[in-house]
Amino acid sequence: MGALGRVLLWLQLCALAQAAYKLWVPNTDFDAASNWSQNRTPCPGASIVFPAHKMVSVLVRGSHSVSDLLGKLGERGRDPLSLCLRSSCRRMENLYWPRKRHSAPQSPPGTRTVVLDCSPPGAPALFRDPDRFSWHDPRLWRSEDPAPGLFSVDAERVPCQQDDVVFPATSSFRVDLGPGARSVHSVSALGRTFTRVDDLAAFLGSRAGRLHFHGPGTLRVAPEACADPSGCVCGNEEVQPRVCAALLQPLDGRCPPAACHDALRPEGQCCDLCGAVVSLAHGAAFDLKLYRQRLLRTFLGPEDQGVQVAVSKVRRRTQRTREAAGAGTDTEIQVVLAETWPQAGGARRLVRAILADVSEHGEALGILSATARESGAPIEGGSAGQDGPGYLAEVAGGMATAVLLAAALAGLVVLLLRRSGRLRWRRHEDQAPGPAERPLGFQNPVFDLAGSAEPEQTATPKKDAVSSNYFINPLFSGDEVEV
């Protein structure tokens, strides 16, 4: 992006400084290497191919010399191919390419010429499908620069109902709106900002609008911005399945496995994560922006580099603590503590600190109550989270197995010793207690101990009170040992 482009983008963003915005990232520029099948712009004198039956607007920035435009432009029917020269694109007005084969026009003097490594010569350069960019793909949007340590859940990475949407004025683009209706606060595209429903509808129905936006869905603007200091719900619950499908498409629709037991899935997130989720019931005095800043200043320190925090208002997961949150309240503040290094246990420490802060300062912050959920122990190594459910189950299972094995081994040893004659039991009548003796408490079949001495009442035992009973020790060679 040149100096003029940065200035125009800065002016757009300054006008939206009071609201959150989402910036569209990809483009359909001729000079973008990612738009070509060989991941490079066409070589001088090469043939280029644009997809047939596709509407596309392509911005040409530099000077390119090509031998031919393939794809039978005359058979494209009513689908236009728009090549927009930089000198004639002050407001992205489209210059249509003639419906016959031509060499590419020369750019005005002063524009740079692209120099490429084009040896050996290859197949014609194919412009990639311009319809591959979906509105619902979180990877294609960029939010206002977040503070270090902050992130957004997946459903809030695409434009929310209160967001301002910005398409850079210095690039060509094409967006698949998908099915359904999209509603945002405002739309800035091709150097214009649309805040009225009628103006946006007229633009989308124009030739330029059809070149840049397509799909069965509709796009609307809602002039009312979020005026609630406690924040507003994003409103992407219905489109979250499409968001997750687009996000996980490179992974064949499967979430990567979490690195901990009992992983969590916060509201708006597509896959499980390790860490903790704190749910806050709030009152009218709660300020979402101020509380987010409080978390950054008070709790996130240099030692918490492995923890990312997301704070937003979401629909209440359950009907719990409805009385505390107020009659009819169906929202709560969700604080997500995602661990990039589960072994460090940073989320556990932050949860304790946040709950303690709510207990001490909750009333002044407008927080009525707080609950927390935590993931379990890391799957590989580490000591963090060892009091989680998974760890306790493993410990209990190991102890039970050890007890059973010890009991079975003891029974086997006793049986083998008795069969070999090394272990003998005495009958009870062979050692009947005398008149002055008390009955014995119990017999020990392992050591053949006939009796035990009467406990002494003093701290140190007397020598003449020690019994002279004998027993056979089966662990040695049958020698008699006196105690």
Side-chain angles (χ1 to χ4, degrees):
M1 183 180 295
L4 178 60
R6 288 193 294 268
V7 171
L8 292 176
L9 179 58
W10 180 81
L11 291 175
Q12 285 182 337
L13 298 182
C14 285
L16 303 173
Q18 301 301 321
Y21 66 87
K22 297 292 194 303
L23 177 66
W24 180 254
V25 176
N27 59 63
T28 56
D29 291 357
F30 190 98
D31 301 84
S34 59
N35 287 329
W36 297 94
S37 58
Q38 299 174 346
N39 286 325
R40 67 182 184 186
T41 53
C43 294
S47 297
I48 60 176
V49 181
F50 288 93
H53 309 294
K54 295 286 186 179
M55 297 181 66
V56 58
S57 176
V58 180
L59 174 63
V60 183
R61 296 179 183 274
S63 177
H64 300 272
S65 175
V66 296
S67 62
D68 207 355
L69 289 175
L70 303 181
K72 299 182 179 180
L73 297 180
E75 299 180 2
R76 293 177 62 91
R78 303 173 63 183
D79 297 334
L81 168 65
S82 171
L83 291 182
C84 179
L85 299 181
R86 184 176 184 181
S87 60
S88 62
C89 292
R90 182 173 302 177
R91 292 176 59 91
M92 287 296 294
E93 297 170 353
N94 295 289
L95 176 66
Y96 278 78
W97 195 255
R99 296 283 184 153
K100 58 181 179 179
R101 299 182 180 184
H102 274 279
S103 295
Q106 298 296 321
S107 297
T111 57
R112 63 184 180 87
T113 300
V114 179
V115 179
L116 300 172
D117 180 11
C118 295
S119 58
L126 174 63
F127 195 85
R128 299 181 63 190
D129 184 6
D131 294 345
R132 68 187 185 275
F133 301 119
S134 171
W135 176 284
H136 298 108
D137 193 340
R139 299 168 300 174
L140 306 183
W141 295 97
R142 190 178 70 196
S143 302
E144 50 189 320
D145 294 335
L150 287 181
F151 78 102
S152 297
V153 292
D154 297 327
E156 298 177 10
R157 293 167 59 187
V158 301
C160 298
Q161 294 179 357
Q162 303 81 26
D163 288 342
D164 293 298
V165 179
V166 179
F167 296 93
T170 57
S171 295
S172 56
F173 62 91
R174 186 161 172 81
V175 185
D176 180 6
L177 295 177
R182 309 279 75 76
S183 178
V184 295
H185 181 246
S186 70
V187 176
S188 296
L190 309 188
R192 300 174 59 187
T193 298
F194 302 94
T195 58
R196 298 176 66 246
V197 176
D198 295 341
D199 294 341
L200 180 60
F203 166 73
L204 294 176
S206 67
R207 183 178 62 182
R210 293 194 304 270
L211 278 170
H212 296 87
F213 297 90
H214 70 101
T218 59
L219 180 61
R220 303 189 182 97
V221 290
E224 296 81 9
C226 178
D228 189 348
S230 65
C232 295
V233 176
C234 176
N236 282 339
E237 296 90 345
E238 295 183 0
V239 299
Q240 183 171 338
R242 299 190 187 100
V243 171
C244 296
L247 180 65
L248 299 177
Q249 185 178 8
L251 302 176
D252 296 328
R254 302 192 186 101
C255 287
C260 61
H261 297 283
D262 305 310
L264 306 173
R265 184 170 298 186
E267 290 294 309
Q269 193 72 8
C270 293
C271 298
D272 295 341
L273 53 80
C274 301
V277 177
V278 180
S279 300
L280 305 176
H282 62 90
F286 181 80
D287 191 303
L288 180 62
K289 184 177 180 179
L290 293 180
Y291 188 72
R292 186 183 289 116
Q293 295 175 353
R294 180 182 182 85
L295 290 179
L296 291 176
R297 293 195 307 262
T298 307
F299 301 105
L300 285 180
E303 69 277 9
D304 301 312
Q305 295 181 0
V307 180
Q308 299 288 316
V309 180
V311 186
S312 60
K313 178 182 283 190
V314 297
R315 302 290 181 189
R316 187 178 295 276
R317 290 174 58 91
T318 65
Q319 300 301 319
R320 68 185 184 279
T321 64
R322 181 174 292 273
E323 298 81 4
T329 300
D330 60 350
T331 61
E332 62 187 7
I333 305 301
Q334 177 179 260
V335 181
V336 182
L337 306 173
E339 288 185 323
T340 56
W341 310 324
Q343 293 80 6
R348 179 177 297 273
R349 185 190 65 80
L350 287 176
V351 164
R352 303 295 183 269
I354 291 174
L355 294 180
D357 182 65
V358 170
S359 177
E360 184 177 358
H361 305 289
E363 183 177 357
L365 297 173
I367 300 176
L368 306 179
S369 63
T371 58
R373 297 179 292 133
E374 299 179 12
S375 60
I379 291 180
E380 296 181 0
S383 59
Q386 286 190 349
D387 54 348
Y391 178 77
L392 294 179
E394 294 175 2
V395 172
M399 293 179 62
T401 303
V403 171
L404 292 176
L405 290 176
L409 182 62
L412 180 62
V413 170
V414 170
L415 180 62
L416 292 177
L417 291 176
R418 185 178 182 185
R419 288 185 175 180
S420 63
R422 291 195 167 192
L423 184 63
R424 300 188 302 273
W425 273 282
R426 292 184 181 181
R427 293 183 179 180
H428 182 69
E429 57 271 14
D430 292 344
Q431 191 174 350
E437 297 178 4
R438 293 185 178 182
L440 298 176
F442 66 94
Q443 296 181 1
N444 192 325
V446 177
F447 300 103
D448 196 20
L449 183 61
S452 61
E454 183 178 355
E456 292 291 334
Q457 301 296 328
T458 59
T460 55
K462 296 180 181 180
K463 290 185 178 180
D464 56 358
V466 178
S467 170
S468 298
N469 295 324
Y470 294 87
F471 68 92
I472 305 299
N473 191 333
L475 299 180
F476 297 91
S477 58
D479 301 333
E480 293 183 347
V481 181
E482 181 180 353
V483 296

